[in-house]
């Protein structure tokens, strides 16, 4: 992984640096096998320059927000449901041998610190437990300085939407105060409304908006992302055009064919829609509840092909994507290190990362669903982070909203 920090005062120098990244570093990273990059800019003033310089790359816009709280102010933690409690992440907790999900917490810590011992010396955080033997989530101080820190937070399924994110954050701010820090910061993708809501409930206030961009070195995946976004925003024809460009270059992820089917159904191309649905299932996108509850696919209901498709999918909650866990298109078991990203600093930050390691900026497609693990309805949302953080929400992670 490479992190590049650009901090310049003159536009001409900024253009030169972006051109160097575009013409030299980008091909080097692509040849080295990196799968994606993310760019963070300190202010909107960078956006026109980035979009002009990288026009041929067509980076995906994923704007973000920064929120913060003075440790002299304290948010109010909500009452927790029965069985839950919040406690510090300390030596006794990290060395337990009977805690479910402790490996995930350790992995997150070691993605930011050289070791657990280093965290215990320099870091701090809070953890939510369910009962005495199951970790339900954590909230860690990251990128600590003498006066400030950032938030890295995650709530695990099925413990989301219970106020744990807010409670852990409020407790973390109090920890920061007792350690002499003056401010705690929180970065989130603008589309991640639940993340922003949690920041607000924990007492944080919005500081600014800033641009961010994501791109994939794999042209099929990158074009698919563009198409997915357009379809999700109601631009069916435009989205379908992007997706078909992707399909022309190779096999795409199952969610891309699902999105293409939704676009075709919206446009009245029913036969093509069923063709793409078949491809989606072939690619392992096979959770029946998603298909049944999709608003985009309503025009396909009642047709012979629809009945056959449901029979192929089996019972609701049926076959999941081979090799994945949870939702059939949920990015599975990505390491915390794979979810690190660059901090923008005073200019533009770049990161070359590991595939689908970032909270996904894509908006949810028109969809309604009672599932607590559905990437399309936005129930499963991201946890709070910052440009250098793995998360971008407060009660889990929705790879569609992220971001």
């Amino acid at each position: 992984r490479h992190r590049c920090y650009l901090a310049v005062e003159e536009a001409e120098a900024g253009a030169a640096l972006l051109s160097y990244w575009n013409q030299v570093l980008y091909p080097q990273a692509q040849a080295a096998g990196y799968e994606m990059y993310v760019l963070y800019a300190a202010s909107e003033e960078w956006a026109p320059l980035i979009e002009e310089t990288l026009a041929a790359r067509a980076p995906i816009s994923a704007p973000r927000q920064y929120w913060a709280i003075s440790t002299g102010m304290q948010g109010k933690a909500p009452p927790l449901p029965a069985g839950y409690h919040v406690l510090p992440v300390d030596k006794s907790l990290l060395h337990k041998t009977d805690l479910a999900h402790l490996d995930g917490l350790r992995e997150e810590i070691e993605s930011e610190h050289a070791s657990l011992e280093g965290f215990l010396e320099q870091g701090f955080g809070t953890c939510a437990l369910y009962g005495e033997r199951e970790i339900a989530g954590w909230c860690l101080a990251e990128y600590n300085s003498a006066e400030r820190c950032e938030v890295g937070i995650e709530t695990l399924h099925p413990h989301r939407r219970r106020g744990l994110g807010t409670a852990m954050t409020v407790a973390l701010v109090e920890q920061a105060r007792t350690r002499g820090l003056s401010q705690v910061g929180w970065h989130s993708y603008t589309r991640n409304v639940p993340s922003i809501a949690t920041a607000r409930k924990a007492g944080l206030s919005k500081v600014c908006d800033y641009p961010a961009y994501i791109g994939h070195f794999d042209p099929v995946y990158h074009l698919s992302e563009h198409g997915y976004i357009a379809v999700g925003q109601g631009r069916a024809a435009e989205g379908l055009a992007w997706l078909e460009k992707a399909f022309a270059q190779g096999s795409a992820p199952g969610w891309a064919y699902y999105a293409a089917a939704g676009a075709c159904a919206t446009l009245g191309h029913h036969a093509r829609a069923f063709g793409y649905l078949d491809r989606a299932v072939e690619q392992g996108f096979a959770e029946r509840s998603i298909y049944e509850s999709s608003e985009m696919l309503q025009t396909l209901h009642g047709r012979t092909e629809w009945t056959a498709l449901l029979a192929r999918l089996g019972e609701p909650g049926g076959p999941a994507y081979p090799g994945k866990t949870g939702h059939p298109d949920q990015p599975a078991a990505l390491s915390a290190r794979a979810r690190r990203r660059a901090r923008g600093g005073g200019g533009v930050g770049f990161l070359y990362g590991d595939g689908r390691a970032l909270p996904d900026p894509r908006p949810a497609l028109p969809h309604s669903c009672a599932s607590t693990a559905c990437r399309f309805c936005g129930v499963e949302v991201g946890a709070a982070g910052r440009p250098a953080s793995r998360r971008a929400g407060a009660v889990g992670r929705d790879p569609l909203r992220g971001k």
Side-chain angles (χ1 to χ4, degrees):
R1 170 173 326 167
H2 305 281
R3 293 182 179 181
C4 309
Y5 302 88
L6 310 184
V8 298
E9 295 183 359
E10 298 179 1
E12 184 175 346
L17 286 171
L18 281 170
S19 294
Y20 177 75
W21 177 83
N22 189 33
Q23 298 170 15
V24 178
L25 297 182
Y26 183 103
Q28 289 178 355
Q30 190 173 37
Y34 291 103
E35 295 184 38
M36 70 178 301
Y37 65 87
V38 58
L39 292 73
Y40 295 96
S43 72
E44 293 290 345
E45 295 177 1
W46 278 86
L49 183 59
I50 291 173
E51 293 172 7
E52 178 182 355
T53 306
L54 306 183
R57 307 291 184 196
I60 299 167
S61 177
R64 292 173 67 86
Q65 295 183 3
Y66 179 62
W67 290 63
I69 184 173
S70 166
T71 56
M73 303 175 62
Q74 187 70 12
K76 183 177 181 181
L80 296 179
Y84 290 95
H85 56 285
V86 174
L87 67 165
V89 177
D90 56 17
K91 184 175 181 179
S92 63
L93 184 141
L94 291 175
H95 288 84
K96 287 182 179 291
T97 59
D98 59 350
L99 271 183
H101 310 304
L102 182 59
D103 287 347
L105 172 57
R106 288 172 174 166
E107 180 187 27
E108 175 71 10
I109 289 173
E110 291 178 342
S111 73
E112 295 291 340
H113 297 267
S115 65
L116 294 180
E117 290 70 24
F119 168 82
L120 292 172
E121 292 177 4
Q122 303 173 1
F124 60 95
T126 62
C127 180
L129 289 191
Y130 179 61
E132 299 298 327
R133 295 188 178 182
E134 182 178 359
I135 291 177
W138 52 79
C139 182
L140 305 176
E142 300 176 346
Y143 297 88
N144 300 14
S145 68
E147 298 181 349
R148 301 188 300 179
C149 70
E150 307 287 340
V151 176
I153 184 169
E154 181 173 1
T155 303
L156 303 177
H157 176 79
H159 305 287
R160 297 160 186 165
R161 300 176 67 84
R162 302 187 181 190
L164 300 183
T166 302
M168 291 189 293
T169 303
V170 170
L172 181 80
V173 172
E174 175 60 18
Q175 286 184 327
R177 185 190 67 78
T178 61
R179 290 170 174 262
L181 277 67
S182 61
Q183 181 174 296
V184 174
W186 176 296
H187 296 253
S188 174
Y189 285 101
T190 301
R191 295 188 186 281
N192 197 342
V193 177
S195 168
I196 294 169
T198 301
R200 183 182 293 110
K201 285 186 287 186
L204 285 80
S205 300
K206 182 180 175 182
V207 177
C208 66
D209 296 280
Y210 62 94
Y213 299 86
I214 290 174
H216 302 270
F217 293 113
D218 179 350
V220 174
Y221 196 93
H222 189 69
L223 292 168
S224 295
E225 286 274 8
H226 267 295
Y228 192 99
I229 290 170
V231 173
Q233 294 177 343
R235 306 191 310 273
E238 178 187 341
L240 185 59
W242 280 107
L243 290 162
E244 291 184 333
K245 286 181 182 178
F247 305 156
Q249 296 194 36
S251 180
W255 53 260
Y257 295 106
Y258 173 86
C264 286
T266 300
L267 297 170
H269 307 321
H270 296 150
R272 291 171 63 191
F274 282 114
Y276 283 131
L277 289 177
D278 285 340
R279 290 298 306 276
V281 176
E282 290 170 4
Q283 292 295 96
F285 199 85
E287 175 60 50
R288 176 169 170 165
S289 63
I290 293 175
Y291 291 81
E292 289 184 310
S293 59
S294 171
E295 295 178 9
M296 294 191 306
L297 303 181
Q298 290 294 318
T299 60
L300 304 181
H301 290 199
R303 296 174 180 270
T304 302
E305 300 94 325
W306 180 255
T307 303
L309 175 69
L310 295 183
R312 183 180 178 188
L313 293 171
E315 293 302 316
Y321 195 163
K324 301 289 184 182
T325 57
H327 193 277
D329 196 36
Q330 183 84 354
L334 291 171
S335 70
R337 293 184 186 277
R339 290 184 287 258
R340 295 301 99 195
R341 68 195 76 160
R343 185 177 179 84
V348 179
F350 300 101
L351 168 70
Y352 307 130
D354 307 275
R356 296 163 59 198
L358 295 176
D360 194 324
R362 293 171 297 192
L365 293 175
H367 172 75
S368 59
C369 175
S371 170
T372 57
C374 178
R375 72 173 295 175
F376 291 96
C377 64
V379 170
E380 182 172 316
V381 297
R386 59 263 155 243
S389 170
R390 70 179 281 192
R391 299 299 187 191
V395 285
R397 180 162 79 99
D398 178 359
L400 293 178
R401 294 198 171 210
K403 168 151 104 295

